[in-house]
Amino acid sequence: LSSSSAASDVYKRQVMELRYNLARDLLDANQLPEAIALFEELWQANPDEGRFGVHLFQAQLKLGRNEAAAAALERLIQEKQRVCAEAAEQIKALQEQWQQAQKKPQDLSQQELQKFNKLRRRAGVNPHTFAFMRGRLLAARGEHEQALACFEQAREVQIHNRPSLSEQIAASLLALGRLDEAEREYNAIRAIDPINTASVSYTHLTLPTKRIV
């Protein structure tokens, strides 16, 4: 790439990130139609950026547009499959190229290793994330038993996402009247995040009622 082309790419990336941050701020401020429009625009222009699809899914659910959220999830899965297939082909081509050049792993440059590791990340799929998203969609539709089955598949999500997962599980358990199990989930949330508002609200509103009964 020429220096001018590289500079242009950097500028476009910076603009994209600024607009992404704006969309997230709109989502946090509950300006949902505006956030949705911006996430849709970003994702249309950058289909490889799955994070735009994830946030679009979240915004649609938050607005109560379950079918639009389902469409976003379906497209997200399709785009991820496409990205994975493309990355796998590129990995195969690189490995064949290095084999022909009789290059061993220790012979690879830092730039080659970085490119390979980036492709490996793109070729990977996190089934726990998709299970969590499916569970959220089912819960939004009121299908809590099916939602819980998906949430169980998502148990291995990264630790910073576990309070959100436990909160969703607890909400579905409450909807099904399974209070003791819901309490265990809220206790799990407090163990990770002691000031989580959902667990605090549950403690103050639900447990006194349980004692009276």
Side-chain angles (χ1 to χ4, degrees):
L1 289 176
S2 65
S3 58
S4 60
S5 177
S8 176
D9 288 344
V10 170
Y11 173 75
K12 289 178 181 177
R13 185 81 187 180
Q14 290 174 337
V15 170
M16 182 187 74
E17 293 299 332
L18 287 171
R19 302 190 75 226
Y20 173 54
N21 289 334
L22 172 60
R24 292 180 66 182
D25 288 341
L26 290 168
L27 178 59
D28 291 340
N30 279 325
Q31 298 183 41
L32 301 177
E34 295 85 352
I36 286 169
L38 193 45
F39 282 129
E40 285 178 336
E41 183 181 332
L42 284 165
W43 200 18
Q44 188 65 33
N46 307 275
D48 289 2
E49 293 284 349
R51 56 191 170 140
F52 300 153
V54 171
H55 281 89
L56 176 60
F57 169 84
Q58 293 171 344
Q60 298 285 22
L61 270 191
K62 202 171 183 180
L63 196 58
R65 297 177 177 174
N66 294 343
E67 294 315 306
L73 178 55
E74 182 61 29
R75 182 187 166 197
L76 189 62
I77 292 170
Q78 292 174 355
E79 293 287 6
K80 183 58 179 175
Q81 290 172 340
R82 176 186 60 79
V83 168
C84 287
E86 291 175 356
E89 283 298 318
Q90 293 177 47
I91 288 173
K92 182 180 177 182
L94 275 179
Q95 290 174 328
E96 290 175 352
Q97 178 185 332
W98 294 338
Q99 188 175 15
Q100 290 174 1
Q102 296 184 337
K103 278 189 173 183
K104 297 179 181 179
Q106 60 267 30
D107 299 326
L108 301 177
S109 68
Q110 190 66 29
Q111 185 177 6
E112 287 173 321
L113 286 172
Q114 288 175 348
K115 181 178 181 179
F116 182 71
N117 288 331
K118 182 179 179 180
L119 287 171
R120 284 185 63 187
R121 288 193 296 272
R122 285 170 60 83
V125 177
N126 188 341
H128 309 298
T129 297
F130 285 124
F132 178 55
M133 294 174 73
R134 287 193 189 94
R136 290 194 60 192
L137 179 61
L138 288 164
R141 289 171 168 169
E143 301 174 32
H144 292 288
E145 289 285 3
Q146 296 92 325
L148 287 172
C150 287
F151 292 144
E152 284 302 318
Q153 295 173 17
R155 282 286 190 183
E156 297 303 316
V157 293
Q158 294 177 335
I159 193 165
H160 67 271
N161 289 323
R162 287 179 191 168
S164 295
L165 174 60
S166 288
E167 186 176 337
Q168 293 292 328
I169 293 172
S172 283
L173 289 169
L174 280 176
L176 294 169
R178 294 158 60 177
L179 299 186
D180 290 338
E181 293 171 84
E183 182 180 350
R184 285 197 292 272
E185 289 299 330
Y186 283 121
N187 287 337
I189 297 172
R190 282 196 296 275
I192 301 173
D193 183 6
I195 61 173
N196 183 277
T197 55
S199 64
V200 171
S201 297
Y202 177 82
T203 300
H204 286 113
L205 296 176
T206 307
L207 294 187
T209 304
K210 289 179 65 177
R211 291 192 190 99
I212 292 171
V213 175

